[in-house]
Amino acid sequence: MPTVKNGSVVYAAHPEGHIEPDVHLKYIESEIDLESMPLNGGVLLKTIALSSDPYLRYRMRDPNVPHFVPAFDLGMPIENSGIAIVVRSDDPNFKSGDQVSGMLEFSDYSVFPGTRPMALARPLRKVEKIPGHPLSIYTGTLGGAGMTSYQGLKGFASEKVKTSKTLFVSGGAGPVGTFVIEYAKVMAPHLKIIASAGSAAKVEIMKDCGADVAFNYKEQDAEAILSEHGPIDIYWDNVAGPTLDAALINFNSEGLIIACGAISQAAHKDGSVVRHFEEIFQRSLTVKGFLLARGEAAHVLSSFYDEVIPLVKQGKITSREHRYSGLKSAGKALRDVHTGDNTGKAVIIVDEEYL
């Protein structure tokens, strides 16, 4: 195997607000000898696709600033979940040609595990292509987004949905939001689902997924919509901020908030201000915050693939991708998930040949 070009996306500077491609992230190229690269018991991977997720913005900071995820190292390739092909293997669990998912460097080629420990490393997992779907589905619907949605709903709301009438989903057109809408309908077909997003196109996506009421929060008042179509029994919160406040004053008693994200506050140093916090105790609300694969609900993930892959094959759980071509587009992909300029799961396609 020859020496080949190896492109990488490295973390170049700490952003103050939104990510600026080519400022905070730099594309660089080096060379790699695919035959002589030491594996040290690991595998040499060729990257196929990488996931762009909102939480990565939290890793773009000074490492001395504490947070719930570790910071990226300046000057080093960033990392996130992705799909790859095994090129060479020193690991008896994998062979050349295996398709795998895992936490990968943003590089054309990388060794797993490498000499630099990944902050959020997890084992590689072999994956099989599902007829009619690209392998990149494992970066979204069958990846972190789907697992997050499944863990939150199945882990915290499997009983609550049976007696609830209304579920509200913010950020409802993203890969987590669409999964929540569709899986909630699988769990409890009687549920009335209200969903919000930030464009007319995204409103149509939420309707296609089964939302009974879908609205553009930039053009319609969330408090008014929830007052008309509520009250809410369950709120899946992807955004925090003003939408959370609108939800709090439109809850039934004994309601459930599943706190998944705070995307509206990701680029703000001071975090989210909740104006109606008192509604939590006045209405006896339960708030369940969680991180993927951690905490009391993580055990449900053991059944994720067994339950969800058949639902994907049946068309009950769908997948939508917003594709970015090549590693050079990674900065734009990471920025767009914060500015709302992506429609569907943001995925960076590194090598389309293997999809």
Side-chain angles (χ1 to χ4, degrees):
M1 283 180 262
T3 297
V4 297
K5 178 194 75 175
N6 189 30
S8 296
V9 178
V10 302
Y11 184 43
H14 305 312
E16 291 294 324
H18 286 307
I19 299 164
E20 294 182 37
D22 302 321
V23 174
H24 303 117
L25 298 164
K26 297 281 189 181
Y27 174 80
I28 63 170
E29 291 183 355
S30 59
E31 290 189 342
I32 183 173
D33 188 320
L34 299 180
E35 189 161 350
S36 65
M37 169 65 66
L39 303 184
N40 301 312
V43 294
L44 176 62
L45 301 175
K46 178 178 178 60
T47 307
I48 301 172
L50 294 160
S51 178
S52 174
D53 296 302
Y55 90 93
L56 293 176
R57 175 61 182 82
Y58 294 114
R59 301 192 66 186
M60 296 182 182
R61 69 180 198 281
D62 187 313
N64 295 316
V65 178
H67 219 293
F68 72 94
V69 285
F72 286 132
D73 295 324
L74 287 171
M76 299 299 293
I78 63 171
E79 63 198 31
N80 198 27
S81 58
I83 303 297
I85 293 284
V86 175
V87 178
R88 289 172 47 223
S89 177
D90 273 358
D91 185 332
N93 296 307
F94 300 97
K95 65 182 185 301
S96 176
D98 282 347
Q99 301 162 158
V100 296
S101 67
M103 188 66 65
L104 308 179
E105 281 189 5
F106 274 48
S107 298
D108 289 309
Y109 295 91
S110 61
V111 174
F112 185 98
T115 56
R116 176 176 64 99
M118 285 192 172
L120 298 176
R122 63 174 186 263
L124 289 180
R125 179 184 185 275
K126 293 180 186 178
V127 295
E128 295 183 0
K129 191 166 184 177
I130 298 173
H133 296 276
L135 277 174
S136 49
I137 194 173
Y138 287 97
T139 68
T141 300
L142 293 178
M147 291 179 185
T148 297
S149 310
Y150 184 86
Q151 178 178 333
L153 278 179
K154 194 175 186 72
F156 297 126
S158 58
E159 292 300 318
K160 181 70 174 176
V161 295
K162 296 176 182 178
T163 57
S164 295
K165 294 182 179 179
T166 305
L167 179 149
F168 172 43
V169 185
S170 59
V176 170
T178 54
F179 192 109
V180 168
I181 293 169
E182 292 177 330
Y183 188 59
K185 285 290 189 180
V186 170
M187 295 174 76
H190 69 275
L191 268 181
K192 177 181 182 179
I193 297 181
I194 308 169
S196 66
S199 73
K202 292 179 180 180
V203 168
E204 292 306 311
I205 288 174
M206 296 185 294
K207 290 179 179 178
D208 289 344
C209 288
D212 300 284
V213 178
F215 68 96
N216 181 348
Y217 72 88
K218 294 180 180 178
E219 297 181 352
Q220 295 175 277
D221 181 70
E223 287 189 19
I225 294 292
L226 296 176
S227 176
E228 177 183 356
H229 297 284
I232 306 163
D233 297 299
I234 305 170
Y235 172 38
W236 182 285
D237 189 10
N238 281 318
V239 302
T243 306
L244 171 58
D245 273 312
L248 285 172
I249 61 174
N250 283 287
F251 250 103
N252 265 325
S253 295
E254 308 292 335
L256 170 65
I257 298 172
I258 303 175
C260 177
I263 187 64
S264 69
Q265 308 299 309
H268 299 282
K269 291 182 178 180
D270 297 331
S272 178
V273 176
V274 181
R275 293 185 297 116
H276 297 304
F277 184 88
E278 70 281 358
E279 300 294 340
I280 295 174
F281 60 83
Q282 290 179 6
R283 297 174 190 253
S284 298
L285 305 181
T286 297
V287 181
K288 291 289 189 179
F290 73 103
L291 296 174
L292 177 59
R294 302 189 204 176
E296 63 182 287
H299 68 280
V300 303
L301 291 175
S302 62
S303 61
F304 174 76
Y305 287 109
D306 288 341
E307 182 176 357
V308 177
I309 287 178
L311 293 174
V312 169
K313 291 179 177 179
Q314 296 163 23
K316 294 180 179 180
I317 300 290
T318 59
S319 178
R320 296 162 184 78
E321 293 183 350
H322 187 134
R323 293 186 174 186
Y324 297 80
S325 181
L327 283 169
K328 291 181 180 180
S329 69
K332 185 177 189 309
L334 269 66
R335 181 194 63 190
D336 285 359
V337 295
H338 290 280
T339 59
D341 290 331
N342 66 300
T343 303
K345 169 60 191 168
V347 55
I348 302 150
I349 304 300
V350 182
D351 195 328
E352 193 168 0
E353 178 184 352
Y354 293 92
L355 284 181

